[in-house]
Amino acid sequence: MRTRPLKVALLGCGVVGSEVARIMTTHADDLAARIGAPVELTGVAVRRPSKIREGIDPALVTTDATALVKRGDIDVVVEVIGGIEPARSLITTAFEHGASVVSANKALLAQDGAALHAAAEEHGRDLYYEAAVAGAIPLIRPLRESLAGDKINRVMGIVNGTTNFILDKMDSTGAGYQEALDEATALGYAEADPTADVEGFDAAAKAAILAGIAFHTRVRLDDVYREGMNEVTSADFASAKAMGCTIKLLAICERAADGGSVTARVHPAMIPLSHPLASVRGAYNAVFVESDAAGQLMFYGPGAGGAPTASAVLGDLVAVCRNKLSGATGPGDSAYTQLPVSSMGEVVTRYHISLDVADKPGVLAQVATVFAEHGVSIDTVRQQGRQDGSGDASLVVVTHRASDASLNGTVEALRSLDTVRGVASIMRVEGE
């Protein structure tokens, strides 16, 4: 074993960063044995240096992150500060000054992953980011390495624990959206401002990363269709249960049937109870992968939190340090296919549409005609009169597979019918 330590700089010492530092200290001997050399925490860049950080020598703490990554003797920089800047500049500066980088920054990688990979390659450094997508779940490395010889056709998963906790509560207890969100906030699963989670921004960044790796093409955050879950209601769950389904916020990355394009999207969807993702409860994450040779695979585990995310960071740190000792670098960016990313309008799936209609003869025929005129085939129909004396009924239509564009045209035409009082909800049905 080499006795001279590999030097590590830590950018950020919050929930994840403090766990990374703790594990590096408490598991130092094991890490050294696995790597083939000791690892030494050489500096910790923070915004508030006066804060007491248990187990971290105050002499290591600095507010000058740029000076830390420019030192020239740093072997690996671990970036867990998040956001676009200054993280982007610090990472590229680290490459320029001889360090490889381990990051958990999903937003930055989804936006500028190609440029960061190019900078890493230019300087002969590693860029690893297992922790950016699903916390402790090994996912990036299996897609990038274990399945490198296979053709991946679809990646579909629950990649945000906050939203899964909320939807699971709505499903299991009958709670409304706001009630479930309030409980998630009280338990620490949701931030004070939950927008990034419930509006799907967090999941969309992860979908961009997954699609790029799975399909060997450039997929940026702007390419991902995003739809939040704050309009999901108890009535939607009742409809889902009637179909033998539940509702999940899904990140879905697909290769077109002809192989000529890909899509990436995030939205709520009904999913059959028989599908493995339907049983993912609480704040857990799971990702379902479909490929030509391996078939169907599912990766499951805690997708957030200090210790689980730090576990993924440390796994990357070990891999990068081993590469450093051997004078090699690991797999870099693979975007040789350069496939176009199709718009959401071209996505084909099933739909569940709930309509408020006049309860009188001929309404169903009118509705069916509109679907037929727009080329959307109906699978099942369920109509139920109301007991409130309004003279209206609830009409639920489940389609066969149709494009998003054709479904949108159908809905607009339905709204123009005098007998249709309103469109109560529209939800995609996935996971057949």
Side-chain angles (χ1 to χ4, degrees):
M1 177 185 294
R2 192 179 89 166
T3 57
R4 182 167 61 84
L6 292 162
K7 295 186 177 182
V8 178
L10 178 61
L11 307 182
C13 197
V15 173
V16 176
S18 60
E19 281 294 315
V20 170
R22 181 188 66 79
I23 295 172
M24 285 185 65
T25 301
T26 58
H27 296 179
D29 291 343
D30 286 339
L31 290 173
R34 294 166 191 169
I35 292 169
V39 287
E40 176 187 338
L41 186 59
T42 313
V44 181
V46 299
R47 286 185 297 177
R48 298 190 298 275
S50 59
K51 180 180 177 181
I52 297 175
R53 295 173 172 85
E54 186 177 348
I56 296 178
D57 183 352
L60 299 179
V61 176
T62 178
T63 58
D64 194 343
T66 301
L68 179 59
V69 300
K70 281 184 173 181
R71 278 179 34 172
D73 64 337
I74 302 296
D75 295 292
V76 184
V77 169
V78 175
E79 183 272 308
V80 288
I81 57 177
I84 305 302
E85 287 291 356
R88 173 171 48 198
S89 297
L90 291 170
I91 289 173
T92 55
T93 301
F95 291 146
E96 292 166 1
H97 288 79
S100 291
V101 174
V102 173
S103 176
N105 196 332
K106 54 187 171 287
L108 178 58
L109 289 158
Q111 178 172 306
D112 288 322
L116 293 177
H117 273 292
E121 184 176 359
E122 177 186 355
H123 296 285
R125 310 301 171 203
D126 274 324
L127 174 62
Y128 276 50
Y129 43 90
E130 185 68 66
V133 172
I137 304 172
L139 184 58
I140 299 297
R141 196 171 289 117
L143 291 178
R144 194 160 65 169
E145 299 179 29
S146 303
L147 295 174
D150 206 344
K151 179 184 176 184
I152 298 173
N153 298 309
R154 197 173 202 232
V155 178
M156 179 171 72
I158 299 161
V159 294
N160 183 279
T162 300
T163 55
N164 200 58
F165 178 88
I166 293 169
L167 292 173
D168 185 38
K169 278 294 175 184
M170 293 177 70
D171 185 26
S172 60
T173 69
Y177 168 76
Q178 190 59 52
E179 182 184 351
L181 173 58
D182 290 344
E183 182 175 352
T185 303
L187 293 172
Y189 291 125
E191 301 287 344
D193 180 1
T195 302
D197 295 324
V198 301
E199 291 291 340
F201 290 101
D202 176 85
K206 296 169 181 176
I209 295 169
L210 289 175
I213 294 171
F215 307 132
H216 304 279
T217 198
R218 302 269 188 239
V219 181
R220 300 180 74 251
L221 181 58
D222 292 344
D223 296 321
V224 182
Y225 172 84
R226 177 192 55 78
E227 188 179 311
M229 49 156 278
N230 54 339
E231 294 185 3
V232 176
T233 66
S234 299
D236 292 326
F237 274 101
S239 294
K241 287 181 179 180
M243 290 179 58
C245 293
T246 188
I247 298 172
K248 299 291 185 182
L249 185 74
L250 298 177
I252 304 171
C253 312
E254 291 181 304
R255 189 191 300 269
D258 63 4
S261 64
V262 300
T263 58
R265 50 196 165 104
V266 170
H267 53 72
M270 294 182 180
I271 187 167
L273 294 175
S274 58
H275 194 282
L277 290 176
S279 62
V280 178
R281 310 299 298 270
Y284 275 70
N285 284 193
V287 176
F288 198 73
V289 178
E290 300 175 31
S291 69
D292 276 1
Q296 298 179 334
L297 308 169
M298 192 167 91
F299 301 83
Y300 169 84
T309 306
S311 170
V313 170
L314 267 295
D316 279 349
L317 179 63
V318 169
V320 170
C321 286
R322 286 171 173 170
N323 291 342
K324 193 85 173 180
L325 289 179
S326 65
T329 55
D333 192 21
S334 175
Y336 69 91
T337 62
Q338 300 183 25
L339 295 173
V341 182
S342 298
S343 69
M344 187 62 190
E346 299 173 73
V347 170
V348 175
T349 188
R350 295 176 69 204
Y351 290 86
H352 175 283
I353 305 103
S354 180
L355 305 171
D356 295 326
V357 300
D359 191 5
K360 62 182 184 180
V363 173
L364 182 55
Q366 285 184 320
V367 169
T369 297
V370 170
F371 276 87
E373 288 174 347
H374 287 80
V376 179
S377 176
I378 294 175
D379 183 17
T380 62
V381 176
R382 186 175 73 253
Q383 184 171 340
Q384 184 173 357
R386 294 180 178 167
Q387 307 302 316
D388 57 5
S390 64
D392 291 343
S394 295
L395 179 63
V396 174
V397 177
V398 180
T399 74
H400 288 290
R401 291 175 64 82
S403 72
D404 192 78
S406 63
L407 195 281
N408 286 339
T410 303
V411 171
E412 287 304 310
L414 288 171
R415 287 194 170 107
S416 69
L417 295 178
D418 292 339
T419 52
V420 175
R421 311 301 192 209
V423 180
S425 69
I426 303 170
M427 191 165 294
R428 297 169 183 88
V429 182
E430 302 285 349
E432 297 175 89

